[in-house]
Every structure is written in structure tokens, then in C-alpha cells.
Amino acid sequence: MKQYIAPVANYTVSAVLFILAFIYLLRSSFMPYHSQAVSLKWHEIDTATQSLMLALMRVCAGGWLAVSLTTAVLQWHFSQSRQPWIPVLILLIGLISVLTTLYATTIVYFNTPGRPPIPGLFILTFLLFVGYRMNMANINKYQLA
């Protein structure tokens, strides 16, 4: 049963980032917490600023999509080969994405009236560490066998 914890943790991170990527990629306006942050509705913002915000959302989406697919492929590859460099790479790539997102959202949280969904980022960070730890335990288990 323990051998399934790491894949579930890492595939969950991958799925959440995939969903976020598509939300940010396909939305035609900013998120509700963006509206809170600028204290304006979407239609109250000039077209140039709307374009800039959508462009920044698309950049975030591209990063999350890349990390999502990379995490899923690396976890699948690890399940097949148990190569010890893979859990480290999953952790590093995931943490770079999640922690930079956390940094950006805390800027919004502390400097605007916007309230981004920060707790979810702590959950993703926790899942990345669980996935790493359990993948490493799987390596040790298979090396001892």
C-alpha cells in the first residue's frame, strides 16, 4: 500500500497544476481575487491593462502546464525504473513552481485587498514532500530486496 502514496501525491500535484493551467489559459477575464486586489470589476479596467493581465495569466498557465506534465511523466518513469535522480527532480521542479507562485500570491495578499488561495499552495508543497519521501523509501525498499 505504501508504494502507492508517492504516485498519488505527485499525480495529485500534477492534476491540480493542470487544472489551474487550463483555468488561467482559457479565462477571458481575471480571477475573483484579482478583482479584489485592484478593487475593480473586469469591465472597469482599460483594454491595455486587461491585455497585460491576460498575458500574465497565460504565462502562469504555461509554467503550470509544463510542470504538471513533467511531474506526471517523471513519476510514471520512476514507477517503471526506480532511478534515484527522479524523486529529487520532481521535488525541485515542483517546489520552484509552487514556491514562486506562493511568493507572487503573498505579494498580492499583503499589499492589496485581494485574497488569493494561498492554503492550496501549502497543500501542494506538502504533497511534493510526501511524494519525494515515499519515492525515496521505495528506492531503499527495492535496493534491499
Side-chain angles (χ1 to χ4, degrees):
M1 186 65 173
K2 280 186 173 180
Q3 72 268 20
Y4 297 113
I5 295 173
V8 167
N10 285 328
Y11 288 137
T12 299
V13 170
S14 179
V16 168
L17 292 176
F18 189 83
I19 291 165
L20 283 173
F22 272 88
I23 289 170
Y24 272 62
L25 192 62
L26 299 176
R27 279 188 67 95
S28 59
S29 65
F30 53 34
M31 301 297 286
Y33 75 90
H34 297 147
S35 180
Q36 292 172 342
V38 297
S39 300
L40 295 169
K41 302 283 186 218
W42 180 251
H43 67 276
E44 298 172 327
I45 296 177
D46 65 89
T47 307
T49 303
Q50 287 180 350
S51 296
L52 176 63
M53 294 196 73
L54 288 176
L56 292 170
M57 288 173 64
R58 301 311 187 253
V59 168
C60 290
W64 291 331
L65 186 59
V67 172
S68 169
L69 296 176
T70 301
T71 299
V73 168
L74 285 171
Q75 181 59 52
W76 179 84
H77 187 64
F78 178 79
S79 296
Q80 307 302 311
S81 67
R82 301 283 191 272
Q83 295 182 19
W85 58 270
I86 296 175
V88 175
L89 194 57
I90 291 171
L91 179 65
L92 288 175
I93 291 169
L95 285 178
I96 289 167
S97 176
V98 172
L99 293 179
T100 55
T101 302
L102 179 61
Y103 175 59
T105 55
T106 56
I107 291 170
V108 172
Y109 184 86
F110 288 115
N111 296 296
T112 75
R115 292 296 167 249
I118 291 174
L121 297 170
F122 286 112
I123 293 168
L124 292 179
T125 302
F126 174 74
L127 288 172
L128 285 166
F129 278 108
V130 167
Y132 170 76
R133 179 66 189 103
M134 297 312 292
N135 272 338
M136 294 306 286
N138 285 334
I139 291 171
N140 295 336
K141 176 182 165 187
Y142 283 94
Q143 286 178 347
L144 296 174

